[in-house]
Amino acid sequence: MESTPTTIVHTYRSHCLTVSQPPGFGDFLRGSFFLAIFCRENRMLLVIDFSQHPIGKFVQSVCFPDTSSITPEEFFNDKKAELLPYLRALTPGQVALITTHANVVEAEITDADRLLIQSYMCFSDEVTNKVAATIEKIGSPHFAVVHVRVADEDMHNPDVVVRGLIGYIKKNVVPVWGKHVVVLSNNGKLKNMLSVHFKLHMTTTSAVHLGECNTTDLHVRDSLIDFALLSKASHIYSYSVYGWTSGFSKHCSNLFDIPYTRIQFRSYAARIKDKLKAIVARGEKLFTT
């Protein structure tokens, strides 16, 4: 007789005890991939639970016993090193409630892992209808998304400028996709500027960092609309002001197996510096000849 398998409930929380701000949505999905791979390899069950976060109002709830009174084990930052020993110590039949943004080896993600996590991400009619209306305006089910992630403190800054972004879109996106492009960004002013400049599509949403708890349900809904639209894209071009990729778009790409291009370009100052170095190098060569 087979024993009851261990169940891991990965819960997205609006409040955590070991970090001041819960993980962003991309970070949570990264942890979900890690757990999906572990559970698949160790014959455990994985449940994704959004019921303890405002996001649960716009994602189909999970048919699982209420866990609101249970404090989950948190594995963030340095404590991530304790996650694997904790998981390996679980016993058959045990139900473990945890939350983590553990790193994942993307090459190890399988279609089975994707389908498992997708099964817990059935968006509300309000979200899906908005996405459907946007795709109808695009005029084709095959479209690209340009996703621009600015710093959290610049989300409402009307003066944000990303030098080089216009040139990149003009050279690498528009020639391939024409007008079948949607611009998404956590900065509404920048999103509107790029949309108007290239006459591209955009959503009238106000995206926020989903790890923040001091936001409205409307902003949470809007962020999910952006994510759901990303999930329908044929290609994602993503720029992040940080030195790493945007988890919001990168793990959407991983989840729905969408081709992903990280937008990178050298800053104007760096290009000028390179030109000056080249001029000096040519001068030194001429002088020594």
Side-chain angles (χ1 to χ4, degrees):
M1 182 176 179
E2 293 186 5
S3 60
T4 304
T6 304
T7 299
I8 296 174
V9 181
H10 192 210
T11 178
Y12 196 29
R13 296 257 162 166
S14 58
H15 298 282
C16 293
L17 299 178
T18 59
V19 289
S20 58
Q21 178 176 289
F25 194 50
D27 293 331
F28 177 78
L29 288 177
R30 185 178 69 206
S32 297
F33 278 123
F34 175 90
L35 294 174
I37 293 170
F38 181 88
C39 288
R40 169 170 50 80
E41 293 177 344
N42 292 274
R43 297 186 178 183
M44 296 181 180
L45 298 179
L46 174 65
V47 173
I48 309 295
D49 179 16
F50 295 113
S51 64
Q52 306 307 316
H53 189 281
I55 196 175
K57 298 175 183 178
F58 306 101
V59 179
Q60 181 177 319
S61 60
V62 177
C63 295
F64 198 78
D66 181 24
T67 57
S68 59
S69 62
I70 304 174
T71 301
E73 295 290 335
E74 298 180 4
F75 297 93
F76 299 123
N77 304 329
D78 293 342
K79 201 179 177 185
K80 286 189 295 184
E82 301 175 23
L83 178 57
L84 273 178
Y86 172 85
L87 294 174
R88 288 170 178 155
L90 296 175
T91 57
Q94 184 175 350
V95 176
L97 189 68
I98 71 170
T99 182
T100 184
H101 60 1
N103 297 328
V104 64
V105 178
E106 295 177 12
E108 296 180 359
I109 298 172
T110 67
D111 287 342
D113 302 325
R114 294 186 178 94
L115 289 173
L116 173 62
I117 298 173
Q118 285 179 31
S119 69
Y120 292 102
M121 296 194 63
C122 298
F123 299 110
S124 67
D125 290 343
E126 188 177 4
V127 171
T128 56
N129 290 342
K130 180 72 173 179
V131 170
T134 301
I135 294 176
E136 185 176 358
K137 290 179 182 178
I138 296 170
S140 172
H142 304 290
F143 62 92
V145 171
V146 174
H147 177 245
V148 184
R149 172 73 156 87
V150 305
D152 291 345
E153 60 269 22
D154 284 332
M155 283 196 293
H156 305 294
N157 182 354
D159 300 317
V160 170
V161 175
V162 180
R163 297 187 184 277
L165 193 55
I166 287 179
Y168 183 94
I169 295 172
K170 181 179 180 180
K171 180 181 179 181
N172 300 284
V173 181
V174 173
V176 178
W177 296 95
K179 301 301 180 183
H180 296 151
V181 180
V182 181
V183 181
L184 300 180
S185 178
N186 57 338
N187 182 285
K189 188 80 172 182
L190 180 60
K191 176 173 64 174
N192 184 71
M193 182 275 290
L194 292 172
S195 175
V196 170
H197 184 88
F198 290 104
K199 296 182 175 59
L200 302 177
H201 303 275
M202 59 171 272
T203 57
T204 55
T205 53
S206 300
V208 295
H209 189 287
L210 286 172
E212 293 185 359
C213 308
N214 59 342
T215 188
T216 67
D217 287 349
L218 178 63
H219 289 159
V220 172
R221 183 208 66 179
D222 282 359
S223 298
L224 282 179
I225 288 171
D226 281 0
F227 186 86
L229 185 59
L230 274 167
S231 76
K232 299 295 185 181
S234 298
H235 197 113
I236 297 173
Y237 297 86
S238 180
Y239 172 81
S240 172
V241 70
Y242 299 112
W244 54 87
T245 56
S246 164
F248 189 81
S249 57
K250 180 58 179 173
H251 293 300
C252 182
S253 165
N254 285 332
L255 182 56
F256 294 95
D257 201 17
I258 303 168
Y260 182 92
T261 299
R262 180 184 178 188
I263 298 176
Q264 292 180 287
F265 43 78
R266 305 210 68 196
S267 68
Y268 178 76
R271 294 198 301 271
I272 292 297
K273 187 176 181 179
D274 286 347
K275 288 182 180 180
L276 289 174
K277 283 184 177 179
I279 291 171
V280 171
R282 288 197 299 270
E284 290 175 347
K285 185 176 180 180
L286 288 172
F287 181 76
T288 55
T289 299

